[in-house]
Amino acid sequence: MGPLFSIITVVLNDPNGIRKTAESIQVQTEYSYEWIVVDGLSVDDTCEVIRKYQVQGRDTLVSERDSGVYHAMNKGLNAASGEFVVFLNAGDRLYKSTVLADVKEVISPTIDVIHGDVVFDTERVGYIVRHSVDSTDGINRRVFASHQSVFIRRLVHLSHQFNTDFHYAADYAVFSSLYMSGFHLHYLSEPLSITDINKSSLSVKNRYTMARENYVIDRSILKDSYLYSSLNYFQAFIKITIVRILLILPGPLFRALPKKITKKVY
């Protein structure tokens, strides 16, 4: 019999990030889990750090070349044996030591996906909580949760893997597909993970690409009309343009702005 949880981590040349991830897993009070790490052939001491925290006979390290983060995440998914899977990539952390125990408490035979809130660890304004969207209210035409805070039944996820044609929005495609397929999504109203927000995360170019990919998903998976999808894309374009202006402000000036404005960057 396999473990209750499979925690899957994708990493490349990030020993400090993988250490933070491993330490957050190590302190969990729920022990029925495996840790699967997919390394893209790191050339530093990343794999040495991973082996330091691995438990023989429970955890798995796959170190080989891949064709991108979503390809690597699919590798981890296909190697998993847990009932539920969660993707906690290098630098991501479980929010507290009882996260797995808290998720276990709400598992039932009728629930296919459990999702919660995520905490953004930002360089400019510290911690920001991003609340998930209660899935009983619909998908809301955006990622209803960050993948670090989403637990999906493995057998369900195997039939809805990440589309590697997408660069940034494959998780949104998976969540949208699960929602449209009628799987039971349960919202756990508490933070489940912490993720670092760095300069790459805030890249305006990446955000424009994600907006275009979201448009494709809205049309092809959520079956939104051309007009509705175009309006959503236009709104996203305007928001990204505003973020672009905010990001060029000097740090002190940025932090002096009302928090409800600075939070829009994240």
Side-chain angles (χ1 to χ4, degrees):
M1 184 176 178
L4 182 58
F5 299 106
S6 292
I7 303 170
I8 302 170
T9 301
V10 170
V11 63
L12 177 64
N13 297 325
D14 190 2
N16 293 329
I18 201 70
R19 184 177 292 107
K20 291 193 293 185
T21 302
E23 289 175 351
S24 80
I25 295 171
Q26 195 176 50
V27 299
Q28 291 300 301
T29 59
E30 167 59 50
Y31 301 116
S32 182
Y33 69 84
E34 63 179 352
W35 186 33
I36 298 172
V37 183
V38 183
D39 172 70
L41 286 183
S42 294
V43 296
D44 54 16
D45 61 344
T46 294
C47 288
E48 293 176 26
V49 174
I50 295 166
R51 293 187 182 99
K52 175 184 174 183
Y53 288 96
Q54 278 189 314
V55 173
Q56 292 296 321
R58 183 196 69 184
D59 302 331
T60 303
L61 169 61
V62 177
S63 186
E64 60 188 23
R65 193 173 302 281
D66 56 62
S67 58
V69 64
Y70 289 124
H71 178 223
M73 290 167 75
N74 282 337
K75 281 186 183 181
L77 174 59
N78 286 294
S81 62
E83 186 176 348
F84 280 81
V85 298
V86 60
F87 289 90
L88 203 67
N89 292 337
D92 298 335
R93 291 92 77 196
L94 294 172
Y95 180 70
K96 57 184 178 179
S97 62
T98 60
V99 166
L100 297 184
D102 291 348
V103 174
K104 180 181 179 180
E105 282 295 311
V106 300
I107 290 176
S108 76
T110 62
I111 293 177
D112 303 300
V113 181
I114 298 166
H115 60 100
D117 303 331
V118 63
V119 175
F120 291 155
D121 187 357
T122 73
E123 295 175 345
R124 285 188 156 192
V125 292
Y127 291 106
I128 294 175
V129 178
R130 175 180 171 183
H131 296 284
S132 185
V133 176
D134 189 340
S135 46
T136 59
D137 296 330
I139 198 71
N140 203 29
R141 300 311 186 262
R142 68 174 177 85
V143 180
F144 68 86
S146 298
H147 68 254
Q148 301 92 340
S149 293
V150 179
F151 292 74
I152 303 175
R153 283 194 185 275
R154 177 175 57 86
L155 295 180
V156 170
H157 210 330
L158 283 170
S159 64
H160 294 77
Q161 298 197 28
F162 297 104
N163 184 340
T164 55
D165 289 336
F166 294 116
H167 292 92
Y168 303 106
D171 41 1
Y172 179 44
V174 168
F175 303 152
S176 298
S177 179
L178 293 173
Y179 175 76
M180 292 297 286
S181 298
F183 289 104
H184 186 181
L185 283 56
H186 178 83
Y187 173 47
L188 184 58
S189 180
E190 63 179 72
L192 300 181
S193 67
I194 303 173
T195 188
D196 292 329
I197 300 296
N198 52 37
K199 290 181 180 179
S200 175
S201 308
L202 296 175
S203 166
V204 171
K205 179 181 178 182
N206 293 351
R207 291 188 178 204
Y208 282 130
T209 301
M210 182 183 291
R212 289 192 293 270
E213 292 180 351
N214 286 347
Y215 172 83
V216 172
I217 293 164
D218 288 348
R219 293 282 286 139
S220 62
I221 298 178
L222 294 174
K223 305 300 182 183
D224 288 340
S225 69
Y226 171 78
L227 178 60
Y228 190 82
S229 300
S230 298
L231 287 173
N232 280 338
Y233 176 73
F234 179 72
Q235 288 176 339
F237 185 89
I238 296 299
K239 180 179 178 180
I240 295 167
T241 302
I242 294 172
V243 167
R244 184 177 186 178
I245 295 170
L246 292 174
L247 286 174
I248 63 175
L249 294 176
L253 180 57
F254 180 85
R255 287 188 290 271
L257 294 171
K259 197 162 186 178
K260 66 179 181 180
I261 295 178
T262 58
K263 284 177 67 175
K264 298 294 184 182
V265 170
Y266 306 97

